[in-house]
DNA sequence: ATTTCTGCAAAAAATTTGCATCTGG
DNA sequence: CCAGATGCAAATTTTTTGCAGAAAT
């Protein structure tokens, strides 16, 4: 339900992403390797909010001997060039989510079953900017999470926890 | 819970806090110990957004042999009874901040110098509730952080990092 | 007396890093 | 070739835990 009104066309997201990545790598003298490509492709293909370990598992389905270290290093890269955002939802792990070509969005996190729903709200964004301006801040990014119980969990009681 | 308009008098916050704490401890069969009191008092006295280690250091100025484990355990407690909130600002550590008697507030985090400014905005809160309602969520808490450069850091360039 | 703490040190969990060895450009 | 990347294991960092002794109710 996202990618509705991008300023461009259909799969420009992908193109943008690749461009951003290529430019960044060139500027920083980085090399394109089999592992990096695999990790990055997997990351964008799977989507969602992946912990490094989850991503690592997915990656290893393709190439058994990619090391976690490489996944950590690659995700840090993606994060630095703005194609992924690191998030912390309170479970001990850092989770990454794709950022390219997406409007900013925030999260509703169900503390019962762990479901994460994304949403966007322009009016909130506008107010955030206003607040920041009022404090003399130049905002570069933000995150917002609402924690609570989803419809299901309000009824039947929380579904068994599953980390 | 923290629905109180804090426009009461001076130390109602403290009273509230102590009540909440006492009730919670009673209901859960918890004991009031020297260490817990020290940690909790220190936590509220210092204020700000403390990591466990920072708090531990402060605590040890009073009592050299409180263990870090106790600080972790106590902060988890405070967090569970709603008197403190755990936050993650992206440096590897969980930080806690006092919650008693305060209206909900959010943060402006300067990525240049690390300064954290708190703010409240009812209109944003209202919009958040609306969004949640629209998704069938019953929100229990939320967090929101805006990252960017504060006035200072926009001018003179980022102050030397001081991790 | 009984139940709940605390300190300590070991254990876990998450992430980073050193280094010898490969690899892309 | 050579800068940069990878794997692996060891090292860090952050948080949790088991347990025996200490305290609180």
């Amino acid at each position: 339900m996202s990618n509705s009104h991008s300023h461009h066309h259909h799969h420009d997201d992908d193109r943008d992403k690749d461009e951003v990545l290529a430019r960044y790598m060139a500027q920083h003298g980085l090399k394109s390797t089999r592992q990096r490509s695999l990790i990055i492709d997997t990351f964008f293909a799977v989507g969602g909010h992946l912990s490094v370990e989850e991503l690592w598992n997915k990656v290893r389905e393709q190439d058994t001997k990619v090391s976690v270290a490489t996944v950590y290093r690659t995700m840090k890269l993606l994060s630095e060039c703005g194609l992924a955002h690191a998030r912390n939802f309170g479970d001990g792990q850092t989770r990454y989510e794709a950022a390219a070509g997406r409007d900013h969005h925030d999260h509703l996190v169900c503390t019962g079953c762990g479901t994460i729903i994304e949403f966007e709200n322009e009016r909130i964004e506008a107010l955030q900017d206003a607040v920041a301006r009022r404090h003399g801040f130049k905002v570069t990014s933000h995150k917002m999470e609402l924690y609570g119980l989803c419809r299901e969990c309000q009824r039947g009681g929380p579904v068994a926890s599953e980390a």
Side-chain angles (χ1 to χ4, degrees), chain A residues 28 58 60 64 81 127 158:
Chain A
H28 293 254
K58 291 290 182 188
R60 281 195 294 182
T64 326
C81 70
L127 288 173

Side-chain angles (χ1 to χ4, degrees), chain A residues 124-142:
Chain A
I124 291 179
E125 309 267 316
L127 288 173
Q128 290 175 335
D129 287 346
V131 168
R133 221 172 300 124
R134 210 171 300 142
H135 286 270
F137 260 66
K138 173 159 228 101
V139 172
T140 53
S141 72
H142 76 257

Side-chain angles (χ1 to χ4, degrees), chain A residues 1 24 27 51 53 115 143:
Chain A
M1 62 197 92
Y24 186 86
Q27 289 179 346
S51 67
E53 193 164 359
T115 305
K143 52 178 92 160

Side-chain angles (χ1 to χ4, degrees), chain A residues 23 30 32 39-40 55 74-75 78 91 110 117 163:
Chain A
R23 183 160 6 105
L30 303 178
S32 169
I39 293 168
I40 293 173
L55 178 54
T74 302
M75 290 317 293
L78 271 193
D91 63 337
C110 177
I117 294 177

Side-chain angles (χ1 to χ4, degrees), chain A residues 11 22 30 36 41 43 47-48 52 57 66 71 84 86 92 99 102-103 112 128 140 147 161:
Chain A
H11 285 155
L30 303 178
R36 271 187 188 159
D41 289 349
F43 172 66
V52 171
N57 288 329
V66 173
V71 181
R102 310 183 64 193
D103 286 331
Q128 290 175 335
T140 53
Y147 296 87
S161 70

Side-chain angles (χ1 to χ4, degrees), chain A residues 19-109:
Chain A
E19 267 172 40
V20 171
L21 192 52
R23 183 160 6 105
Y24 186 86
M25 295 185 82
Q27 289 179 346
H28 293 254
L30 303 178
K31 291 175 178 172
S32 169
T33 65
R34 181 172 39 82
Q35 294 91 326
R36 271 187 188 159
S37 302
L38 173 56
I39 293 168
I40 293 173
D41 289 349
T42 305
F43 172 66
F44 286 112
V46 173
H49 304 82
L50 291 171
S51 67
V52 171
E53 193 164 359
E54 287 166 351
L55 178 54
W56 185 37
N57 288 329
K58 291 290 182 188
V59 165
R60 281 195 294 182
E61 289 174 9
Q62 304 297 127
D63 179 340
T64 326
K65 48 177 152 351
V66 173
S67 84
V68 227
T70 300
V71 181
Y72 272 104
R73 292 189 271 230
T74 302
M75 290 317 293
K76 179 161 290 180
L77 258 180
L78 271 193
S79 186
E80 279 161 2
C81 70
L83 292 175
H85 288 308
R87 303 276 181 190
N88 248 124
F89 294 112
D91 63 337
Q93 302 170 97
T94 297
R95 289 173 176 283
Y96 289 92
E97 70 173 4
R102 310 183 64 193
D103 286 331
H104 190 89
H105 61 277
D106 301 295
H107 303 92
L108 272 161
V109 182

Side-chain angles (χ1 to χ4, degrees), chain A residues 111-122:
Chain A
T111 51
C113 61
T115 305
I116 297 177
I117 294 177
E118 298 180 348
F119 68 90
E120 300 174 23
N121 189 301
E122 290 179 24

